Structures are given as C-alpha cells and as structure tokens.
Amino acid sequence: MPLAYDTPLSALPGVGPVKEKALHKLGLTCLGDFLTFYPRRYEDRTVLYPISSAPIGVNVCVKAYLTKPATLSRISGGRQVVRCTVADDTAAIDLTFFNRPYVRGSLDFGQSYIFFGKLDLLGGRRTMVNPQIERADAPKLFGSLVPWYPLSAGLTNPQVAAWAQAAVDALACPEMEFLPAGVLARHKLMPADWCCRQIHRPTGWDELRLARDRLAFEELFQLTLGLSLLRRDRERFTGLPLPDGEAAAFASLLPFSLTGAQKKVIGQCAADLSKAVPMNRLVQGDVGSGKTAIAAFCLWRCAQSGAQGAMMAPTELLAQQHYRTLSALLAPAGVTVVLLTGSQTAAEKRAIRAQLASGEAQVAVGTHALLTEGVEFQNLALAVVDEQHRFGVNQRSALAAKGGHPHILVLSATPIPRTLALIVYGDLDVSVLDELPPGRKPVDTFLVGESKRQRLYSFIDKQIAEGRQVYIVCPAVEESEAQEGDPTLKSVKTYADHLANKVFPHRSVALVHGKLRPKEKEAAMASFAEGKTDILVSTTVIEVGVDVPNAALMVIENADRFGLSQLHQLRGRVGRGQWQSYCVLVSNNKSPDTRARLKTLCATTDGFRIAQADLEQRGPGDFFGERQHGLPQLHIADLGVDVRLLEQAQAAAQTLLAQDPGLQSPAHTPLKNRLRRLFAQNALTFN
Ligand code: ADP
Ligand code: MG
C-alpha cells in the first residue's frame, strides 16, 4: 500500500527523535515535504577521465587498479595513514587515506575501482586525499549526478539523499500532477512525477534541466494563478463608492501645487474610489516624490463623503510625522485627524478609540497599534498602508479587515523591478509617481575612507555654519561587537558621545536608536525637526519617510553594511528642501565588489536602477523576504533569473482563467485545492 503524503518522518529507516529534530530544522515535517526539498547542487560523477588528462584541482572520477600494495603507518597525533599507488593505462596517482585503516585490506590486486576525489599535483606526482572508492564492476554513485541537499547539524548528505529517495519512491505517482493537461501540452512540460524523480536522481544534465524548469514553472504558475484568484475575489466584493469630489478644492488645501505625476495618480485614485469595487492600488514613487499628498487626497475624499479612513505607518516617528502633516492639511477642511501608537497611555488610547468608534474622528493615523483588538471604526471606507515593504501581506489585510471591504491604498518607496512587482504586488493595480517636485537638486554622493575623516568633520561643521542640519547614520551595533570585530565599526552611543564631547562640542548633537523609549525618540526627532539639534546621530530608525527639509547632509558610517536600496532610502532623507544636499558613504572596506556596489550609488539617483543592481548583486531576498509572508514560498524558482519562465507562467495562468474563471471545472479541482493549501496563510481565501 502506498504511503500517504503526511506520513511521519519516523517512518523512514534511521529516523529517531534526534534526526527528526534535525530534519525539522530544515523545514521538513512529513514524508511529502521531501518531494519539494530540492538539492542545492549536483556533483557530476558521469564522466570518467583517463588519469593523464584529468583536470587538476577539481573533483573527478578515475578508473584505476592497485600497482603498489597499501601501507599503514602512524603519524603525529596517533593518526593512521594508508598510502598506496593506483594507475590506469595513462598514468598513476598516489592515494593517501587519513584515519581509514580498513582501506588497506579492502583494495585487491587485479580489481578495478572508481576513485572519486580532488586531483592534485605534488612535486610532479598526481595525488588524491581520501577519495571515495567504488568497485568498478558494481558502482552505485558513478555514472550519476549526485544530489547535495541543504543540511543541518547532525545530518550527512548520504543520509538525507537516501531519505529523499525513499520519499520519492514511496510517493511519486501520476496523481501528483496538478497542472492541467492543456498547460502541459502547450508549454511542452514533462509530467510531475517524472520531474520529481529527476530532480532527486537525475539521469543526465538535460533531464535535470527539463525537470527543474517544469518545477519552477509550476511554482510561478501557482503563485500568479493564486494571486489572480485573490484579485477576482476582491472584485466580487462591493465597497463604498465615494461620490466625486471637487479635486480643485483639495488642491487649495496644499501649500504647493501638485506635480503632473501627482495629478495623474490622484486622477487614478479618484476614479477607483468612485467605483463600487474597492480600490486596491499601489503607488510606487521614489523617496521624496510626494506620496503623502496622494494619501491625503484619498483620506480627504473619504471624509468629505462622511466615511472614515486609516493610515498605517511602520514606525512611530513616521506615524507622528504623518499625523502632523495630515492634521495641518485637513483640519481647515473640517476633518478630525487622530494619532494612535503603542506608546500612548491607556487613557489616551481609550479616548481615541472612542472617537473612532463613534465616527467623531474621520482619519486615524498610526502604527500597527491600529491593528490591535478593540480598535473599531464606525465606518472605515479606506485603508492606507505607507512604506508597504515594511509590512507583510497579512498586515495589509488585517487593516482592511477593520472595515467591510474598504478601499486600499498602498504607498511604497522601494522601487522594485517589474518582474518582482508582478509577483509581490500581483493583486494590486500599480501607479507610478515618476516625477519629483520642482527644484529638487540631485543629492551629491561620495564614497570616502577613514583617511578622509578630518575633512569630513570640517565639511559637517561648514554645513552647520551655513545653517543646515546633518544626519549621521550608523549600523546598529552593540558595544561588545564594536570592540571584538572590526575596530572601525561604530557603536552609535560611544560614537555620539565622542562627537558631542570631542569633535563638535560647540554644536548640539542628539542620538536616536531603536532601544530608546518612544517618548525619548519622539523628543529627539521633534527637536531635530524644529532645528534645535544640529547633528542627529542615529541607527536606521530614520530610514523610512522622515521629512526634515533643512537637513542637507547625510553621513552613513560603515556604509558597506547596508544594502543598496536601504542606502538609497537613507539618502532620500536629504535633498528635500531648496538646498544642495550631500550624502557621504564612509567605508574602509577594500573589497572590489563592495566598492563597486557603493559606487553604483554615487553614480545614480535613479531608485529603479539601484534596485535592479541590488537584485543582481544580492538576489531577491530583500524584496521578497519574510516581509511578504502570507505568499507561498518559492523553493526552486529564482526570480532573479527565471524571468522568461515567469512570463510564460503568467500567460498560462491568464489563459486558464479565461477558460475557467473560477476554476470550477472538475478537471481543475486538484489545482484549486492545491492553491488553497499554498495560500492557506493568506487572510484572503478562495471560494
Ligand atoms: P515621499 O514620497 O517620500 O513620501 P513626501 O510625501 O514625504 O514624499 O514628500 C516629500 C516632501 O516634498 C514633503 O516635504 C512634501 O511637502 C513635499 N512635496 C510633495 N509634493 C510636492 C509638490 N508637488 N511640490 C512641492 N513640494 C512637494
Ligand atoms: Mg513617505
């Protein structure tokens, strides 16, 4: 009787409680999980080299026989060494085995063996240390591509490979096919069970390629199909259509005139909001492109029609800033804006919750405190999420769940390459703010080493003398780490003290870091925003959204510790006013790769180009990491390289949905069930 997908791991030979725990660490919980536990790489044991022409320095298979009897000796430390010489018709190799005394008795004269190991040249002689040995007349691994699996402590590759094999043998069957026959035929894809066998025990590189591509296609197909279904579900909901407002009336509330891009996006939002289908729109715009004004417009429209709106920001600092901006903007229009954050007292929170529940307040700005139980709205018609990349899909849904099916507006300054946008935001309409407000001068960016420190300090002082303010950002480093590791790594606290007392005693220096109490953070930021502090030393808590137009210099210490997109975000904190602004990246890292990475930032201020470079250099993890939890994980597809497959998978998903919009046909039931399982974590579910 065939085993079930969810057979416990302990059913595998040799798996007891200890091994089971080690397998859990790898994310394996049942037999079926092995099917998608893919090898990281394959070792090629298909090629047999004549010894004389085998490449040096890499692992190779050679077929040879013993020419000199093996000797056993002891070396210092009591280690046992077996030495022997083997040869084929072309040349000889000296073999050395450490701590494998039994090898001496196991090599017979007149018998051929396959030796697999790294070939080296030592004093003109070929050598191999601790090669693996198989009898040439009955090889097990020779002739195959040996899979190498990710491992955790206490596990060896042969063990894991054997278990994966057992799982495949027990479970791989034609019933594991989830792709509709039409899709398989059109895209010339191999059957699922064949691919499953091939990926764990390939019969050749070509077969492996076919299997990998099909499995990657399948992942991408399911992902895009699932996202399309979520979107379709949304279209069945009815939201609250907001009657058309007077856009000019909104413009008159602003202290500036809107850019063309802002007008365009406001137009798109206005059209969305007046429909009964809830808006679900992402506004992507580089730092400083004026996304807040778009949110303000939508919140204003909402209040005009007697409904409520909420705006969620990832940090307390940012929530406070939005609160100040929005109340200044909307109060003259008779809109009551309230702030809700975790650091408020219970009494404050209670009062604000009451205002929201009664409808007395029309706009709530806050951190994820907005998501807590007990926060209820009288009539929430719009949910705005700022700096989306800081939140997961689930948090977005959780905010929306505070209303019926409210309109959703998502703002993001992380420009992500198109392929990723399709995946990550597949269920959103996208607007791009591709124009900066007038008068912005690109931020001049420099990369300097420690040797320029005195000059940097003079430059900082000169900026302050001219009336500007300065940010200095350090990676979050504990005191202990700063001393043990890289001596130039700056602990923020020590560094801020040093600057305040030794370097800039005549200037006012303040410090913000993640461990401060919210009230302290708030006070430090407020004093900087009011121009009372000249230099703000901080960790990346100021990374997102903070807006102080008089700050014209951003210094980033140990810049090599940050990702490019993150550096770009940080740089976006300056260049927001009328002044020429500067960003100085300080790094003593001499690695050419690192320097090239940082130089990218000096060469361009185009967020999309920077994001693309980041993607190429560091992979999609930063964009697609755990923050997007709620979406199924990709085990084999690689968004950095599988662009063509992604496009094909998307086309296939669209075609399928055109034929069978709700996947109602019985032929598609297995696929639909599979999607349900994959998207089970997502707050939205399929019907
Ligand atoms: P981001 O897109 O990074 O969230 P903000 O909405 O914080 O950008 O806007 C950045 C700065 O630009 C703010 O000081 C804002 O008042 C200003 N701003 C926004 N739109 C315009 C505009 N059309 N003209 C002039 N200044 C603007
Ligand atoms: Mg912003």
Side-chain angles (χ1 to χ4, degrees):
M1 177 158 144
L3 292 173
Y5 184 91
D6 54 4
T7 304
L9 294 170
S10 53
L12 289 165
V15 176
V18 176
K19 300 282 177 197
E20 193 164 8
K21 226 169 154 188
L23 289 170
H24 283 169
K25 284 221 177 81
L26 294 170
L28 296 160
T29 57
C30 66
L31 208 58
D33 287 341
F34 267 109
L35 300 183
T36 50
F37 184 64
Y38 298 120
R40 223 204 295 272
R41 62 186 179 88
Y42 299 84
E43 197 171 73
D44 192 342
R45 299 210 196 172
T46 60
V47 184
L48 195 61
Y49 286 96
I51 294 176
S52 62
S53 56
I56 303 294
V58 292
N59 285 329
V60 290
C61 288
V62 298
K63 184 171 163 183
Y65 48 86
L66 202 60
T67 57
K68 234 192 241 164
T71 61
L72 177 67
S73 55
R74 272 178 196 281
I75 54 167
S76 60
R79 292 209 294 168
Q80 297 179 303
V81 186
V82 174
R83 291 181 215 276
C84 64
T85 302
V86 298
D88 65 6
D89 298 342
T90 65
I93 308 179
D94 295 333
L95 304 184
T96 311
F97 298 90
F98 291 103
N99 282 337
R100 285 162 70 184
Y102 52 85
V103 168
R104 186 166 66 135
S106 64
L107 291 176
D108 295 331
F109 272 105
Q111 170 71 44
S112 297
Y113 297 92
I114 309 281
F115 298 96
F116 176 77
K118 184 153 91 69
L119 193 60
D120 276 317
L121 267 184
L122 219 98
R125 295 184 65 87
R126 291 184 179 79
T127 62
M128 236 186 222
V129 175
N130 284 347
Q132 292 185 23
I133 311 169
E134 293 191 298
R135 277 176 66 128
D137 52 4
K140 278 206 204 107
L141 296 175
F142 172 65
S144 63
L145 301 176
V146 178
W148 279 83
Y149 291 89
L151 297 176
S152 60
L155 297 176
T156 67
N157 190 62
Q159 270 174 339
V160 174
W163 292 327
Q165 222 21 256
V168 171
D169 290 342
L171 301 175
C173 59
E175 284 71 45
M176 70 190 288
E177 186 59 76
F178 289 102
L179 292 181
V183 173
L184 288 174
R186 195 165 320 107
H187 296 272
K188 301 195 174 59
L189 301 173
M190 300 301 284
D193 59 328
W194 183 87
C195 294
C196 180
R197 287 174 214 284
Q198 283 293 332
I199 205 84
H200 291 287
R201 191 195 283 154
T203 51
W205 289 111
D206 291 345
E207 291 85 349
L208 179 60
R209 185 83 223 157
L210 283 175
R212 197 218 81 100
D213 280 359
R214 130 105 210 198
L215 294 170
F217 177 97
E218 181 174 334
E219 277 188 346
L220 296 168
F221 176 74
Q222 286 168 350
L223 189 59
T224 49
L225 191 61
L227 288 167
S228 306
L229 284 176
L230 289 178
R231 182 191 180 94
R232 219 185 54 91
D233 254 17
R234 159 170 66 90
E235 280 165 5
R236 278 210 316 271
F237 298 138
T238 45
L240 177 69
L242 303 176
D244 225 344
E246 194 51 53
F250 173 72
S252 72
L253 296 171
L254 296 170
F256 44 74
S257 39
L258 293 166
T259 64
Q262 283 170 321
K263 281 186 196 149
K264 174 192 74 187
V265 175
I266 282 178
Q268 290 166 339
C269 292
D272 287 352
L273 289 172
S274 59
K275 288 186 197 146
V277 174
M279 166 166 84
N280 204 20
R281 186 167 288 279
L282 165 71
V283 174
Q284 253 190 31
D286 214 340
V287 277
S289 57
K291 294 182 289 295
T292 316
I294 311 295
F297 168 79
C298 294
L299 291 164
W300 172 79
R301 266 287 296 278
C302 209
Q304 291 314 93
S305 39
Q308 290 171 299
M311 177 159 179
M312 183 163 71
T315 66
E316 194 132 335
L317 286 177
L318 200 48
Q320 281 154 4
Q321 180 183 297
H322 284 327
Y323 169 69
R324 283 194 298 270
T325 311
L326 291 172
S327 17
L329 218 59
L330 301 180
V335 179
T336 306
V337 182
V338 293
L339 174 69
L340 191 70
T341 66
S343 68
Q344 287 164 325
T345 64
E348 284 171 320
K349 284 184 206 160
R350 208 174 313 122
I352 287 161
R353 281 204 303 264
Q355 282 181 295
L356 292 173
S358 68
E360 195 187 326
Q362 289 93 34
V363 173
V365 181
T367 55
H368 43 261
L370 286 171
L371 302 178
T372 47
E373 252 175 85
V375 177
E376 274 162 31
F377 292 84
Q378 193 215 15
N379 180 17
L380 182 68
L382 168 68
V384 183
V385 180
D386 191 22
E387 305 294 350
Q388 144 81 12
H389 67 291
R390 289 300 191 99
F391 294 106
V393 174
N394 289 345
Q395 281 167 311
R396 188 168 91 211
S397 321
L399 181 59
K402 296 275 175 189
H405 293 290
H407 298 285
I408 296 176
L409 176 69
V410 172
L411 309 178
S412 179
T414 308
I416 62 174
R418 208 183 101 77
T419 48
L420 290 185
L422 286 171
I423 294 274
V424 179
Y425 302 123
D427 62 333
L428 296 173
D429 300 310
V430 181
S431 297
V432 181
L433 271 181
D434 49 7
E435 181 187 350
L436 292 179
R440 292 279 167 80
K441 300 181 191 72
V443 179
D444 273 346
T445 306
F446 307 94
L447 173 60
V448 305
E450 279 303 319
S451 58
K452 299 274 169 57
R453 186 157 292 281
Q454 285 316 316
R455 278 180 63 187
L456 173 60
Y457 287 156
S458 322
F459 185 59
I460 293 174
D461 205 58
K462 188 161 150 268
Q463 282 290 309
I464 299 171
E466 285 172 16
R468 302 289 78 72
Q469 289 165 280
V470 180
Y471 292 105
I472 302 183
V473 175
C474 308
V477 177
E478 300 295 332
E479 199 76 34
S480 54
E481 191 192 350
Q483 281 158 3
E484 284 164 16
D486 182 347
T488 64
L489 259 186
K490 307 221 168 307
S491 148
V492 231
K493 265 207 217 107
T494 326
Y495 184 46
D497 282 348
H498 172 72
L499 289 177
N501 301 321
K502 301 273 159 54
V503 190
F504 300 108
H506 55 302
R507 305 292 185 197
S508 94
V509 180
L511 170 67
V512 260
H513 58 80
K515 296 212 179 101
L516 285 185
R517 286 207 306 277
K519 285 264 188 278
E520 297 171 315
K521 239 190 271 179
E522 193 183 322
M525 272 318 291
S527 135
F528 188 70
E530 288 161 22
K532 291 185 191 147
T533 308
D534 300 316
I535 302 176
L536 186 69
V537 183
S538 88
T539 55
T540 51
V541 289
I542 59 139
E543 175 191 348
V544 288
V546 176
D547 189 29
V548 180
N550 191 49
L553 171 58
M554 164 66 65
V555 177
I556 304 173
E557 299 281 356
N558 302 110
D560 48 280
R561 285 217 149 191
F562 297 94
L564 280 189
S565 290
Q566 201 182 7
L567 289 170
H568 179 63
Q569 290 282 321
L570 286 168
R571 175 169 62 178
R573 299 305 110 222
V574 296
R576 306 191 136 226
Q578 75 230 64
W579 324 103
Q580 173 59 55
S581 297
Y582 306 90
C583 175
V584 180
L585 308 172
V586 186
S587 168
N588 245 7
N589 193 312
K590 298 279 186 292
S591 135
D593 281 356
T594 305
R595 295 192 67 81
R597 202 162 65 81
L598 296 175
K599 286 275 183 195
T600 312
L601 214 71
C602 303
T604 180
T605 52
D606 179 339
F608 279 89
R609 268 185 58 193
I610 290 165
Q612 188 66 44
D614 218 11
L615 179 67
E616 283 160 15
Q617 289 161 5
R618 314 213 311 174
D622 284 4
F623 301 100
F624 201 58
E626 45 185 333
R627 285 174 192 146
Q628 291 302 329
H629 58 261
L631 291 180
Q633 225 194 323
L634 295 175
H635 294 286
I636 194 164
D638 178 349
L639 292 172
V641 298
D642 287 325
V643 176
R644 192 183 48 85
L645 276 183
L646 174 62
E647 283 165 0
Q648 288 175 1
Q650 272 174 328
Q654 293 324 315
T655 311
L656 182 68
L657 287 178
Q659 291 160 358
D660 182 4
L663 298 188
Q664 305 295 348
S665 137
H668 297 150
T669 306
L671 178 61
K672 195 164 180 184
N673 288 338
R674 169 119 169 174
L675 292 176
R676 265 203 202 109
R677 220 175 31 241
L678 281 174
F679 283 79
Q681 274 194 46
N682 206 285
L684 299 165
T685 44
F686 309 116
N687 293 305

